[in-house]
Every structure is written in structure tokens, then in C-alpha cells.
Amino acid sequence: MSAVATIRIQQADFDVAQEIAALSRGRTDVGAVVSFSGICRGSEQGERIAALTLEHYPGMAEAEIQRHADEALARWPLQGLTVIHRFGRIEPGENIVLVVTASAHRQAAFEAAEFLMDYLKTSAPFWKREESARGTNWVEARDHDDAAAARWTKS
């Protein structure tokens, strides 16, 4: 069986368990499934967050995520992967992003999932705006996220 990559950018919520089951259903070559789900927090640095609004560039965002999914499939022996990223207004407790990787063994699944999340956190074409009592502000990149992503660059 060949590796399957599913990339979706959507406004609607998703069911984590359903997505994991869909990726591994009928695959006897899958021995490990790793998932990461990002959820909207209700506070940032002690300040209450009312919601996040995520924007993206349609077409470009899917192509860029697909490019990195293809790189993950080339770097690790994966049976498949799923990346789902939401856009629009997202309230605390709601899902934002899901990365699921499937492989015969856990190490490849873990590493590929980390690689994809580090990319999504630092370089994917999404813009995030927080709503709080002080108003709205765009979320800036963080140095620790950039440092995490730097470990994947090829020398």
C-alpha cells in the first residue's frame, strides 16, 4: 500500500478520533499512529483570551502544507499522514489544528509529526489575531518556535 496524505483547511471543527481511525483503517502495515491536536487556550501570559481568529491565503496555504507533507513522506517511512488546520473565529476549548502520522514504527511517526507541527507553528501561511479585554492584536512569531523548527533544516 502506498502512503496517503490528507491536507484540509476548513472552518468547521473536526473529530480527532474519527481522523485517526480514517488514516489507519484497513492498514495492517501501520504499527504506530502519533497525533497532535492544538486547542485554543483561554489565556495567554495571564490574560484572558476571548477568541482567536485565524486567516490564511487560500490555495497557497494548502500548497505549502502539501509541500511539507511531501517532505515528511520523503524523510520518514510513513504509511500516511493527515494535517487539518482550521480558519475563522475559534473560541477557547475548540480545536485549531490536527497532525496525525502513521508508520510501521513509533520513531518515524513521532519525528514526522514534530516536523510538521514545527513547520505549521513557524512557517505556514496563517495569521492569528487574539481577542482580549484590551482589544485585538496580531500574534507575533516566538523565538522558541523558530529554534524548534531550525533542527529540521538540512545542512
Side-chain angles (χ1 to χ4, degrees), residues 9 13 18 21 41 49 60 65 69 73-74 88 114 125 127 135 146 150:
I9 298 176
D13 197 5
Q18 186 176 41
R41 289 185 302 272
I49 301 297
M60 184 176 99
I65 294 171
L73 291 169
E114 282 188 290
W127 299 272
D146 290 333

Side-chain angles (χ1 to χ4, degrees), residues 5 7 59-75 81 115-116 119 123-125:
I7 310 297
M60 184 176 99
E62 292 88 345
E64 280 297 298
I65 294 171
Q66 183 65 58
R67 189 169 66 83
H68 283 79
D70 291 344
E71 184 175 345
L73 291 169
R75 288 176 79 161
L81 64 85
F115 166 80
L116 289 164
Y119 159 72
S123 302

Side-chain angles (χ1 to χ4, degrees), residues 63-126:
E64 280 297 298
I65 294 171
Q66 183 65 58
R67 189 169 66 83
H68 283 79
D70 291 344
E71 184 175 345
L73 291 169
R75 288 176 79 161
W76 291 279
L78 300 177
Q79 272 65 40
L81 64 85
T82 298
V83 176
I84 302 171
H85 205 300
R86 292 183 61 201
F87 67 92
R89 190 170 190 275
I90 300 171
E91 295 184 356
E94 293 182 341
N95 291 316
I96 299 171
V97 64
L98 176 66
V99 171
V100 184
T101 55
S103 183
H105 303 283
R106 65 186 161 89
Q107 185 173 357
F110 272 114
E111 289 177 3
E114 282 188 290
F115 166 80
L116 289 164
M117 269 314 304
D118 286 343
Y119 159 72
L120 288 169
K121 194 74 173 148
T122 59
S123 302
F126 288 91

